[in-house]
Amino acid sequence: MTTPDLIVRGLRVLTSEVKEPGPSAIHISHGVIMAISKFDEVPPGIPIFNAGDSVVMPGLVDTHVHINEPGRTGWEGFTTATRAAAAGGVTTLIEMPLNSIPATTSARGLREKLAAAEGKLWVDVGFWGGVVPGNLSELKPLWEAGVFGFKCFLVPSGVDEFPHVSESDLHVALPELVKLRAPLLAHAELLRPIERAAAAAKNPPTQYATWLASRPREAEDEAITLLLRLAGEHNARIHIVHLSSASALPLLRQAKAELAAISVETCPHYLAFSAEEIPDRGTEFKSAPPIRERENREQLWAALQEGLIDFVVSDHSPCPPEMKQQDTGNFLDAWGGIASLQLSLPAVWTSARQRGYSVWNIAEWMCRGPACLAHLEKHKGDIAIGLDADLIVWNPDATFRVEPPLLHHQHKLTPYGGRELAGVVEATFLRGRRIYDAGSARFGGSATRGEFLSGPIGSALKRDTP
Ligand SMILES: [Zn+2]
């Protein structure tokens, strides 16, 4: 039997086999978990990392991250984003196709992104491609070049390089995605309800209620109705990103009962905040779709518990602070996006534990669930033999205050600023190497430790398709 090169052990290890963390030792060889034994069953002479009472859990998989490089590197970049990920316990992230220039809507765009990311990855990174009007001929080349699936918008995305699609565009694109067996990820809001709401808007733009009223639940509900119909017509695999509207939940419940190929995510900000608590001029809370009322938030929590919402990912979408219009406090002019990649775990955990959820729920929602969307479940998102040794050691009982010096995002503005959160990441391991150590506040190794996750392009992972 191979000798492990590292053992990570602790009293509260959360493997896929158990609902409660317990004493265990994880044996790692060449970055892969080769065995899981009782705490004391370790061969002599092997380096051991002792996690003590802290929880050892799979590294988080965040399938919804906007890094913006190349082209808008002043908003965020691969170095800052992947360091923030490592410090936040995220060991795998899949990057969204928009906000960079070029957008990842062609194989050339993907090549430019890979070139921009070269040598800057502290964690493993993969890429989504984009469906935009007229790029049908690029979908197969993008898929063959290693994207994990395709994202589209049903409303203007906020950037000119990534126009939104109409229903007729999707009737063209979906048969191709079905042929490729690639999932479609959709920003589900429709324009017509938003235009109706704009015509009725009266309140000043510095009030959060104005932004909320401008993006009504119907915009999401009608878009989801359309997407579910298209999924049925084309037998397509469709994933709804960043669900905010709880009134879409009955539609999704019925569709999931009838169609296996529908999945749904929500984000930490929809679970942590409510519209009632957002102050006037608090534009750091602006996202699209918006954070809704408290009663809506509690329905999202119930849907997570039910398994109707499959998982939670950050939708980290930062911008330079001046684009958040903090000086004017104008919600309608501010960039719609929330910075939270590093804070995803404590943000969700702080709210989850208040509602009686366990660290096992966190692993389901933030590790195993998103790994399945990207078909990475044989490599990522769990502690089991044969999977990558992507591990985090964290203390769910410790708390910290979110202060700018702690944050490794390029820009420090976040709605979590100044808040006390529970859940401190103490160490992060990527394929058996310690890439972050909170004790010394240090990143280990170098920015070349992360790998590109993809199919044929220079990757250790092969996508699981025929
Ligand atoms: Zn997004």
Side-chain angles (χ1 to χ4, degrees):
M1 191 175 172
T2 323
T3 310
D5 41 52
L6 174 71
I7 288 172
V8 175
R9 71 174 179 181
L11 301 173
R12 298 169 74 190
V13 177
L14 191 65
T15 64
S16 62
E17 304 287 302
V18 294
K19 277 223 162 186
E20 280 293 321
S24 232
I26 302 164
H27 302 229
I28 299 162
S29 173
H30 297 100
V32 174
I33 298 169
M34 55 173 283
I36 299 167
S37 71
K38 289 184 180 165
F39 183 85
D40 288 328
E41 283 178 2
V42 295
I46 308 294
I48 294 180
F49 179 93
N50 264 311
D53 284 332
S54 294
V55 169
V56 181
M57 196 176 83
L60 270 64
V61 177
D62 190 339
T63 52
H64 195 150
V65 181
H66 298 266
I67 294 184
N68 309 330
E69 182 174 3
R72 288 193 179 86
T73 311
W75 295 20
E76 185 65 284
F78 283 102
T79 300
T80 44
T82 58
R83 282 169 71 95
V90 176
T91 47
T92 299
L93 62 84
I94 313 287
E95 210 262 344
M96 279 293 170
L98 71 158
N99 300 352
S100 56
I101 306 172
T104 319
T105 51
S106 67
R108 181 185 66 85
L110 179 63
R111 281 196 298 274
E112 291 194 29
K113 196 167 273 193
L114 288 164
E118 186 72 44
K120 297 176 184 168
L121 303 186
W122 292 79
V123 301
D124 286 354
V125 176
F127 299 94
W128 299 112
V131 171
V132 293
N135 80 330
L136 177 68
S137 64
E138 289 290 344
L139 303 181
K140 188 162 183 252
L142 272 166
W143 181 247
E144 289 175 344
V147 300
F148 283 81
F150 295 85
K151 164 89 175 281
C152 74
F153 272 69
L154 297 178
V155 286
S157 71
V159 294
D160 294 339
E161 322 77 52
F162 203 93
H164 66 288
V165 292
S166 64
E167 179 179 346
S168 52
D169 293 322
L170 287 177
H171 280 301
V172 173
L174 280 171
E176 179 75 354
L177 299 191
V178 169
K179 223 188 299 169
L180 299 173
R181 302 183 66 176
L184 178 73
L185 283 64
H187 177 121
E189 284 184 294
L190 277 188
L191 207 46
R192 211 169 315 132
I194 292 173
E195 288 169 347
R196 279 200 303 268
K202 287 188 194 66
N203 292 333
T206 50
Q207 288 182 3
Y208 184 72
T210 305
W211 171 241
L212 178 58
S214 78
R215 305 294 280 232
R217 296 186 200 197
E218 295 76 42
E220 286 188 75
D221 303 346
E222 290 180 23
I224 288 169
T225 301
L226 168 64
L227 288 162
L228 296 176
R229 177 164 59 74
L230 291 172
E233 284 173 21
H234 292 278
N235 201 17
R237 164 88 180 85
I238 293 188
H239 175 74
I240 310 292
V241 298
H242 54 46
L243 179 76
S244 169
S245 168
S247 52
L249 292 169
L251 300 169
L252 290 163
R253 185 179 292 108
Q254 190 191 342
K256 283 183 113 177
E258 294 165 2
L259 287 169
I262 295 292
S263 55
V264 190
E265 71 185 38
T266 191
C267 306
H269 37 279
Y270 303 127
L271 298 168
F273 301 122
S274 64
E276 290 89 342
E277 69 185 283
I278 299 178
D280 287 356
R281 312 168 69 89
T283 53
E284 67 274 23
F285 289 88
K286 178 177 173 180
S287 66
I291 295 164
R292 302 189 189 279
E293 299 82 352
R294 190 173 296 125
E295 146 277 315
N296 183 88
R297 177 185 70 189
E298 296 312 312
Q299 291 189 60
L300 295 180
W301 276 106
L304 260 178
Q305 178 172 32
E306 183 188 337
L308 182 52
I309 296 177
D310 296 271
F311 57 81
V312 184
V313 283
S314 71
D315 193 9
H316 176 67
S317 183
C319 66
E322 55 275 17
M323 288 181 66
K324 277 297 201 179
Q325 309 291 341
Q326 296 260 295
D327 50 343
T328 63
N330 186 320
F331 276 100
L332 300 182
D333 292 344
W335 171 255
I338 284 177
S340 65
L341 177 58
Q342 189 182 332
L343 299 170
S344 209
L345 172 64
V348 176
W349 172 240
T350 301
S351 300
R353 71 171 189 167
Q354 287 165 359
R355 291 168 175 78
Y357 295 109
S358 66
V359 294
W360 181 85
N361 294 114
I362 297 292
E364 284 292 294
W365 298 334
M366 306 189 82
C367 307
R368 287 188 274 274
C372 285
L373 173 68
H375 286 296
L376 282 171
E377 66 274 16
K378 289 181 185 154
H379 302 280
K380 305 287 189 187
D382 211 342
I383 297 179
I385 293 169
L387 269 68
D388 289 354
D390 296 348
L391 307 171
I392 61 170
V393 177
W394 67 293
N395 184 340
D397 301 315
T399 61
F400 69 105
R401 186 173 297 281
V402 179
E403 303 283 8
L406 289 178
L407 297 176
H408 299 278
H409 309 141
Q410 182 170 163
H411 301 294
K412 315 302 177 190
L413 183 65
T414 167
Y416 299 99
R419 288 188 183 239
E420 188 92 3
L421 297 180
V424 171
V425 176
E426 297 171 337
T428 305
F429 292 83
L430 179 69
R431 285 176 276 104
R433 301 284 191 106
R434 193 166 5 153
I435 55 167
Y436 178 72
D437 177 357
S440 59
R442 276 227 299 272
F443 292 90
S446 70
T448 54
R449 194 143 280 168
E451 287 184 354
F452 291 120
L453 301 179
S454 67
I457 290 183
S459 168
L461 294 176
K462 294 284 175 238
R463 199 196 303 105
D464 198 14
T465 51

PDB file of all heavy atoms in Angstrom, residues 119-142:
ATOM      1  N   GLY A 119      -0.513  31.638 -13.939  1.00  0.00           N
ATOM      2  CA  GLY A 119       0.410  31.975 -12.855  1.00  0.00           C
ATOM      3  C   GLY A 119      -0.205  32.798 -11.737  1.00  0.00           C
ATOM      4  O   GLY A 119       0.512  33.302 -10.876  1.00  0.00           O
ATOM      5  N   LYS A 120      -1.532  32.955 -11.739  1.00  0.00           N
ATOM      6  CA  LYS A 120      -2.173  33.801 -10.717  1.00  0.00           C
ATOM      7  C   LYS A 120      -3.177  33.030  -9.855  1.00  0.00           C
ATOM      8  O   LYS A 120      -3.953  33.650  -9.150  1.00  0.00           O
ATOM      9  CB  LYS A 120      -2.908  34.957 -11.402  1.00  0.00           C
ATOM     10  CG  LYS A 120      -2.009  35.900 -12.180  1.00  0.00           C
ATOM     11  CD  LYS A 120      -2.838  36.951 -12.910  1.00  0.00           C
ATOM     12  CE  LYS A 120      -1.950  37.834 -13.770  1.00  0.00           C
ATOM     13  NZ  LYS A 120      -2.737  38.661 -14.697  1.00  0.00           N
ATOM     14  N   LEU A 121      -3.159  31.718  -9.938  1.00  0.00           N
ATOM     15  CA  LEU A 121      -4.231  30.967  -9.269  1.00  0.00           C
ATOM     16  C   LEU A 121      -3.771  30.365  -7.940  1.00  0.00           C
ATOM     17  O   LEU A 121      -2.881  29.522  -7.909  1.00  0.00           O
ATOM     18  CB  LEU A 121      -4.743  29.842 -10.181  1.00  0.00           C
ATOM     19  CG  LEU A 121      -5.255  30.264 -11.566  1.00  0.00           C
ATOM     20  CD1 LEU A 121      -5.860  29.061 -12.283  1.00  0.00           C
ATOM     21  CD2 LEU A 121      -6.255  31.401 -11.477  1.00  0.00           C
ATOM     22  N   TRP A 122      -4.416  30.784  -6.865  1.00  0.00           N
ATOM     23  CA  TRP A 122      -4.135  30.224  -5.539  1.00  0.00           C
ATOM     24  C   TRP A 122      -5.075  29.068  -5.237  1.00  0.00           C
ATOM     25  O   TRP A 122      -4.855  28.321  -4.275  1.00  0.00           O
ATOM     26  CB  TRP A 122      -4.244  31.313  -4.475  1.00  0.00           C
ATOM     27  CG  TRP A 122      -3.141  32.324  -4.620  1.00  0.00           C
ATOM     28  CD1 TRP A 122      -3.096  33.349  -5.519  1.00  0.00           C
ATOM     29  CD2 TRP A 122      -1.913  32.376  -3.887  1.00  0.00           C
ATOM     30  NE1 TRP A 122      -1.909  34.038  -5.382  1.00  0.00           N
ATOM     31  CE2 TRP A 122      -1.164  33.473  -4.378  1.00  0.00           C
ATOM     32  CE3 TRP A 122      -1.372  31.609  -2.852  1.00  0.00           C
ATOM     33  CZ2 TRP A 122       0.089  33.812  -3.881  1.00  0.00           C
ATOM     34  CZ3 TRP A 122      -0.119  31.955  -2.348  1.00  0.00           C
ATOM     35  CH2 TRP A 122       0.595  33.032  -2.862  1.00  0.00           C
ATOM     36  N   VAL A 123      -6.166  28.945  -5.986  1.00  0.00           N
ATOM     37  CA  VAL A 123      -7.072  27.799  -5.846  1.00  0.00           C
ATOM     38  C   VAL A 123      -7.388  27.294  -7.256  1.00  0.00           C
ATOM     39  O   VAL A 123      -6.978  27.915  -8.250  1.00  0.00           O
ATOM     40  CB  VAL A 123      -8.385  28.179  -5.119  1.00  0.00           C
ATOM     41  CG1 VAL A 123      -8.100  28.724  -3.715  1.00  0.00           C
ATOM     42  CG2 VAL A 123      -9.211  29.190  -5.922  1.00  0.00           C
ATOM     43  N   ASP A 124      -8.105  26.181  -7.352  1.00  0.00           N
ATOM     44  CA  ASP A 124      -8.448  25.628  -8.670  1.00  0.00           C
ATOM     45  C   ASP A 124      -9.596  26.435  -9.293  1.00  0.00           C
ATOM     46  O   ASP A 124     -10.557  26.786  -8.608  1.00  0.00           O
ATOM     47  CB  ASP A 124      -8.855  24.159  -8.538  1.00  0.00           C
ATOM     48  CG  ASP A 124      -7.648  23.250  -8.278  1.00  0.00           C
ATOM     49  OD1 ASP A 124      -6.498  23.744  -8.324  1.00  0.00           O
ATOM     50  OD2 ASP A 124      -7.859  22.047  -8.028  1.00  0.00           O
ATOM     51  N   VAL A 125      -9.472  26.688 -10.581  1.00  0.00           N
ATOM     52  CA  VAL A 125     -10.431  27.574 -11.263  1.00  0.00           C
ATOM     53  C   VAL A 125     -10.869  26.944 -12.589  1.00  0.00           C
ATOM     54  O   VAL A 125     -10.036  26.503 -13.379  1.00  0.00           O
ATOM     55  CB  VAL A 125      -9.801  28.958 -11.541  1.00  0.00           C
ATOM     56  CG1 VAL A 125     -10.764  29.844 -12.338  1.00  0.00           C
ATOM     57  CG2 VAL A 125      -9.422  29.667 -10.238  1.00  0.00           C
ATOM     58  N   GLY A 126     -12.175  26.928 -12.803  1.00  0.00           N
ATOM     59  CA  GLY A 126     -12.732  26.544 -14.101  1.00  0.00           C
ATOM     60  C   GLY A 126     -13.576  27.686 -14.636  1.00  0.00           C
ATOM     61  O   GLY A 126     -13.745  28.720 -13.972  1.00  0.00           O
ATOM     62  N   PHE A 127     -14.142  27.507 -15.818  1.00  0.00           N
ATOM     63  CA  PHE A 127     -14.824  28.615 -16.491  1.00  0.00           C
ATOM     64  C   PHE A 127     -16.169  28.173 -17.075  1.00  0.00           C
ATOM     65  O   PHE A 127     -16.284  27.088 -17.640  1.00  0.00           O
ATOM     66  CB  PHE A 127     -13.944  29.168 -17.615  1.00  0.00           C
ATOM     67  CG  PHE A 127     -12.623  29.697 -17.108  1.00  0.00           C
ATOM     68  CD1 PHE A 127     -11.500  28.883 -17.090  1.00  0.00           C
ATOM     69  CD2 PHE A 127     -12.525  30.981 -16.591  1.00  0.00           C
ATOM     70  CE1 PHE A 127     -10.290  29.350 -16.580  1.00  0.00           C
ATOM     71  CE2 PHE A 127     -11.324  31.457 -16.074  1.00  0.00           C
ATOM     72  CZ  PHE A 127     -10.201  30.639 -16.071  1.00  0.00           C
ATOM     73  N   TRP A 128     -17.148  29.063 -16.960  1.00  0.00           N
ATOM     74  CA  TRP A 128     -18.387  28.923 -17.720  1.00  0.00           C
ATOM     75  C   TRP A 128     -18.220  29.689 -19.030  1.00  0.00           C
ATOM     76  O   TRP A 128     -17.555  30.731 -19.062  1.00  0.00           O
ATOM     77  CB  TRP A 128     -19.578  29.528 -16.968  1.00  0.00           C
ATOM     78  CG  TRP A 128     -19.883  28.917 -15.627  1.00  0.00           C
ATOM     79  CD1 TRP A 128     -19.738  29.500 -14.403  1.00  0.00           C
ATOM     80  CD2 TRP A 128     -20.411  27.603 -15.366  1.00  0.00           C
ATOM     81  NE1 TRP A 128     -20.127  28.643 -13.399  1.00  0.00           N
ATOM     82  CE2 TRP A 128     -20.545  27.472 -13.973  1.00  0.00           C
ATOM     83  CE3 TRP A 128     -20.775  26.524 -16.186  1.00  0.00           C
ATOM     84  CZ2 TRP A 128     -21.032  26.301 -13.365  1.00  0.00           C
ATOM     85  CZ3 TRP A 128     -21.253  25.371 -15.585  1.00  0.00           C
ATOM     86  CH2 TRP A 128     -21.379  25.259 -14.195  1.00  0.00           C
ATOM     87  N   GLY A 129     -18.859  29.199 -20.093  1.00  0.00           N
ATOM     88  CA  GLY A 129     -18.963  29.967 -21.328  1.00  0.00           C
ATOM     89  C   GLY A 129     -20.264  30.756 -21.311  1.00  0.00           C
ATOM     90  O   GLY A 129     -21.055  30.647 -20.368  1.00  0.00           O
ATOM     91  N   GLY A 130     -20.479  31.553 -22.361  1.00  0.00           N
ATOM     92  CA  GLY A 130     -21.696  32.353 -22.419  1.00  0.00           C
ATOM     93  C   GLY A 130     -22.490  32.071 -23.677  1.00  0.00           C
ATOM     94  O   GLY A 130     -21.927  31.804 -24.739  1.00  0.00           O
ATOM     95  N   VAL A 131     -23.839  32.122 -23.538  1.00  0.00           N
ATOM     96  CA  VAL A 131     -24.737  32.124 -24.699  1.00  0.00           C
ATOM     97  C   VAL A 131     -25.230  33.557 -24.873  1.00  0.00           C
ATOM     98  O   VAL A 131     -25.849  34.116 -23.963  1.00  0.00           O
ATOM     99  CB  VAL A 131     -25.945  31.183 -24.495  1.00  0.00           C
ATOM    100  CG1 VAL A 131     -26.961  31.377 -25.620  1.00  0.00           C
ATOM    101  CG2 VAL A 131     -25.498  29.727 -24.440  1.00  0.00           C
ATOM    102  N   VAL A 132     -24.909  34.151 -26.030  1.00  0.00           N
ATOM    103  CA  VAL A 132     -25.403  35.489 -26.379  1.00  0.00           C
ATOM    104  C   VAL A 132     -25.993  35.396 -27.779  1.00  0.00           C
ATOM    105  O   VAL A 132     -25.739  34.413 -28.491  1.00  0.00           O
ATOM    106  CB  VAL A 132     -24.260  36.544 -26.331  1.00  0.00           C
ATOM    107  CG1 VAL A 132     -23.765  36.755 -24.903  1.00  0.00           C
ATOM    108  CG2 VAL A 132     -23.108  36.168 -27.258  1.00  0.00           C
ATOM    109  N   PRO A 133     -26.798  36.390 -28.190  1.00  0.00           N
ATOM    110  CA  PRO A 133     -27.383  36.309 -29.535  1.00  0.00           C
ATOM    111  C   PRO A 133     -26.281  36.161 -30.593  1.00  0.00           C
ATOM    112  O   PRO A 133     -25.307  36.914 -30.586  1.00  0.00           O
ATOM    113  CB  PRO A 133     -28.102  37.660 -29.687  1.00  0.00           C
ATOM    114  CG  PRO A 133     -28.370  38.103 -28.286  1.00  0.00           C
ATOM    115  CD  PRO A 133     -27.227  37.592 -27.471  1.00  0.00           C
ATOM    116  N   GLY A 134     -26.417  35.147 -31.434  1.00  0.00           N
ATOM    117  CA  GLY A 134     -25.511  35.021 -32.575  1.00  0.00           C
ATOM    118  C   GLY A 134     -24.235  34.234 -32.341  1.00  0.00           C
ATOM    119  O   GLY A 134     -23.409  34.146 -33.244  1.00  0.00           O
ATOM    120  N   ASN A 135     -24.028  33.645 -31.148  1.00  0.00           N
ATOM    121  CA  ASN A 135     -22.757  32.901 -30.985  1.00  0.00           C
ATOM    122  C   ASN A 135     -22.935  31.378 -31.024  1.00  0.00           C
ATOM    123  O   ASN A 135     -22.116  30.637 -30.472  1.00  0.00           O
ATOM    124  CB  ASN A 135     -21.992  33.345 -29.729  1.00  0.00           C
ATOM    125  CG  ASN A 135     -22.509  32.731 -28.426  1.00  0.00           C
ATOM    126  OD1 ASN A 135     -23.696  32.435 -28.323  1.00  0.00           O
ATOM    127  ND2 ASN A 135     -21.629  32.541 -27.464  1.00  0.00           N
ATOM    128  N   LEU A 136     -23.974  30.926 -31.742  1.00  0.00           N
ATOM    129  CA  LEU A 136     -24.224  29.483 -31.846  1.00  0.00           C
ATOM    130  C   LEU A 136     -22.977  28.701 -32.281  1.00  0.00           C
ATOM    131  O   LEU A 136     -22.657  27.657 -31.716  1.00  0.00           O
ATOM    132  CB  LEU A 136     -25.365  29.239 -32.846  1.00  0.00           C
ATOM    133  CG  LEU A 136     -25.696  27.775 -33.123  1.00  0.00           C
ATOM    134  CD1 LEU A 136     -26.292  27.099 -31.898  1.00  0.00           C
ATOM    135  CD2 LEU A 136     -26.670  27.653 -34.308  1.00  0.00           C
ATOM    136  N   SER A 137     -22.250  29.241 -33.271  1.00  0.00           N
ATOM    137  CA  SER A 137     -21.113  28.476 -33.811  1.00  0.00           C
ATOM    138  C   SER A 137     -19.948  28.405 -32.821  1.00  0.00           C
ATOM    139  O   SER A 137     -19.009  27.634 -33.025  1.00  0.00           O
ATOM    140  CB  SER A 137     -20.640  29.111 -35.123  1.00  0.00           C
ATOM    141  OG  SER A 137     -20.163  30.414 -34.857  1.00  0.00           O
ATOM    142  N   GLU A 138     -20.000  29.192 -31.745  1.00  0.00           N
ATOM    143  CA  GLU A 138     -18.916  29.164 -30.759  1.00  0.00           C
ATOM    144  C   GLU A 138     -19.160  28.177 -29.615  1.00  0.00           C
ATOM    145  O   GLU A 138     -18.267  27.920 -28.810  1.00  0.00           O
ATOM    146  CB  GLU A 138     -18.712  30.565 -30.160  1.00  0.00           C
ATOM    147  CG  GLU A 138     -18.109  31.574 -31.115  1.00  0.00           C
ATOM    148  CD  GLU A 138     -16.635  31.285 -31.425  1.00  0.00           C
ATOM    149  OE1 GLU A 138     -15.997  30.504 -30.679  1.00  0.00           O
ATOM    150  OE2 GLU A 138     -16.144  31.841 -32.430  1.00  0.00           O
ATOM    151  N   LEU A 139     -20.397  27.658 -29.526  1.00  0.00           N
ATOM    152  CA  LEU A 139     -20.727  26.859 -28.342  1.00  0.00           C
ATOM    153  C   LEU A 139     -19.925  25.556 -28.305  1.00  0.00           C
ATOM    154  O   LEU A 139     -19.348  25.196 -27.274  1.00  0.00           O
ATOM    155  CB  LEU A 139     -22.237  26.589 -28.277  1.00  0.00           C
ATOM    156  CG  LEU A 139     -23.121  27.854 -28.266  1.00  0.00           C
ATOM    157  CD1 LEU A 139     -24.600  27.475 -28.186  1.00  0.00           C
ATOM    158  CD2 LEU A 139     -22.755  28.790 -27.116  1.00  0.00           C
ATOM    159  N   LYS A 140     -19.864  24.871 -29.438  1.00  0.00           N
ATOM    160  CA  LYS A 140     -19.119  23.599 -29.462  1.00  0.00           C
ATOM    161  C   LYS A 140     -17.617  23.831 -29.234  1.00  0.00           C
ATOM    162  O   LYS A 140     -17.010  23.142 -28.414  1.00  0.00           O
ATOM    163  CB  LYS A 140     -19.378  22.881 -30.794  1.00  0.00           C
ATOM    164  CG  LYS A 140     -18.822  21.483 -30.864  1.00  0.00           C
ATOM    165  CD  LYS A 140     -19.485  20.684 -31.988  1.00  0.00           C
ATOM    166  CE  LYS A 140     -18.979  19.253 -32.005  1.00  0.00           C
ATOM    167  NZ  LYS A 140     -18.091  19.013 -33.149  1.00  0.00           N
ATOM    168  N   PRO A 141     -17.004  24.809 -29.933  1.00  0.00           N
ATOM    169  CA  PRO A 141     -15.581  25.071 -29.648  1.00  0.00           C
ATOM    170  C   PRO A 141     -15.321  25.426 -28.179  1.00  0.00           C
ATOM    171  O   PRO A 141     -14.313  24.988 -27.606  1.00  0.00           O
ATOM    172  CB  PRO A 141     -15.243  26.252 -30.561  1.00  0.00           C
ATOM    173  CG  PRO A 141     -16.239  26.191 -31.674  1.00  0.00           C
ATOM    174  CD  PRO A 141     -17.481  25.577 -31.095  1.00  0.00           C
ATOM    175  N   LEU A 142     -16.215  26.193 -27.571  1.00  0.00           N
ATOM    176  CA  LEU A 142     -16.029  26.530 -26.145  1.00  0.00           C
ATOM    177  C   LEU A 142     -16.111  25.276 -25.283  1.00  0.00           C
ATOM    178  O   LEU A 142     -15.311  25.074 -24.360  1.00  0.00           O
ATOM    179  CB  LEU A 142     -17.102  27.527 -25.699  1.00  0.00           C
ATOM    180  CG  LEU A 142     -16.799  29.003 -25.892  1.00  0.00           C
ATOM    181  CD1 LEU A 142     -18.075  29.829 -25.738  1.00  0.00           C
ATOM    182  CD2 LEU A 142     -15.737  29.474 -24.896  1.00  0.00           C
TER     183      LEU A 142
END
